[in-house]
Amino acid sequence: MVLENLSLKLDQGEMAYLIGPTGSGKSTLMRLIYMDMLPDKGIVRVGEYRSDLIQPRDIPYLRRSIGVVFQDFQLLSDRSVFENVAFALYATGKSGAGVKSRVLQLLSRVGLSHKQKRYPHELSGGEQQRVAIARAMANDPWILLADEPTGNLDPHVADEIQRLLLSLHHQGMTLLSATHDYRLVKKFPTRTLALMNGQVVDVDPETL
């Protein structure tokens, strides 16, 4: 049993950290939210979608409303920065000039317009994560799940990525960020949820 008797509500436009040691269930909770797995008992509700009622054909539509950012970036190594972001749009059936316009808008938003023709191996870790964030934002999701987004980055770069995520939140994005970096939580405090013994508990970031 990883998560048990867990109750969590995140309002639209809210931001929260999800903390806990490795193996505590942070990634499992993220997977439950974007319904990569379903709970054995209970209900996960994301907007109008419920885990007990959703049909397999509807899960792709749910995921278009959720952006996911991973620790290891998960970029396509054989595609440019532009193509990596565009791929998320092509996957939902978009094409033409609208794709180019949207990609350029997203790369500008994350400060990478000048790197659109580069490939992932030509970028720093922070730049790769910025590409991953742009890709996660491609379909204009209303919630962003960040699973250890700064885990592979040094503190200075981690701060830059965290400021980018905070700027997205301040523009109205709902954000749940799983992290084990308590330094980051204390430096940029907001609602903090700790996974303890399979349950979620609100904690004061100043006590970490």
Side-chain angles (χ1 to χ4, degrees):
M1 187 71 69
V2 180
L3 305 171
E4 187 175 17
N5 297 325
L6 184 149
S7 180
L8 167 64
K9 180 182 180 183
L10 193 66
D11 290 325
Q12 189 165 355
E14 189 176 3
M15 175 182 174
Y17 294 111
L18 182 65
I19 64 172
T22 300
S24 60
K26 298 189 298 296
S27 294
T28 298
L29 182 54
M30 295 282 192
R31 291 177 64 196
L32 286 167
I33 293 172
Y34 61 87
M35 299 193 192
D36 187 46
M37 61 188 301
L38 299 176
D40 298 314
K41 295 180 180 178
I43 296 171
V44 177
R45 184 164 70 88
V46 182
E48 62 187 37
Y49 297 98
R50 290 170 46 127
S51 60
D52 59 332
L53 299 176
I54 196 167
Q55 300 296 314
R57 65 177 180 273
D58 293 326
I59 290 179
Y61 296 100
L62 159 72
R63 291 180 183 164
R64 291 180 193 180
S65 65
I66 301 174
V68 185
V69 179
F70 299 97
Q71 177 178 347
D72 57 355
F73 318 138
Q74 296 195 9
L75 300 178
L76 300 169
S77 61
D78 61 340
R79 304 195 187 198
S80 68
V81 166
F82 183 98
E83 291 166 337
N84 263 279
V85 179
F87 181 81
L89 294 163
Y90 293 139
T92 60
K94 297 181 176 65
S95 61
V99 169
K100 181 177 181 180
S101 175
R102 177 63 175 160
V103 172
L104 293 177
Q105 177 190 47
L106 289 163
L107 291 179
S108 175
R109 199 169 178 182
V110 300
L112 285 179
S113 297
H114 60 300
K115 298 286 181 84
Q116 61 176 291
K117 295 182 180 180
R118 299 289 182 88
Y119 285 80
H121 71 273
E122 299 177 295
L123 305 177
S124 68
E127 288 170 338
Q128 290 185 62
Q129 192 60 291
R130 286 174 178 270
V131 177
I133 292 170
R135 182 185 58 192
M137 298 290 295
N139 288 295
D140 199 24
W142 54 265
I143 180 169
L144 190 64
L145 303 178
D147 193 357
E148 301 283 5
T150 62
N152 289 333
L153 306 175
D154 64 49
H156 174 71
V157 178
D159 286 357
E160 290 183 352
I161 294 300
Q162 189 60 29
R163 289 189 182 96
L164 173 58
L165 292 172
L166 285 168
S167 73
L168 296 174
H169 165 62
H170 291 151
Q171 295 168 37
M173 176 63 60
T174 307
L175 177 61
L176 181 63
S177 181
T179 183
H180 61 262
D181 188 348
Y182 292 177
R183 179 197 66 83
L184 212 59
V185 174
K186 295 178 76 170
K187 186 169 183 177
F188 304 98
T190 188
R191 182 185 180 191
T192 303
L193 306 166
L195 268 174
M196 302 172 61
N197 301 317
Q199 300 182 17
V200 170
V201 180
D202 275 272
V203 297
D204 182 351
E206 291 301 318
T207 64
L208 298 175

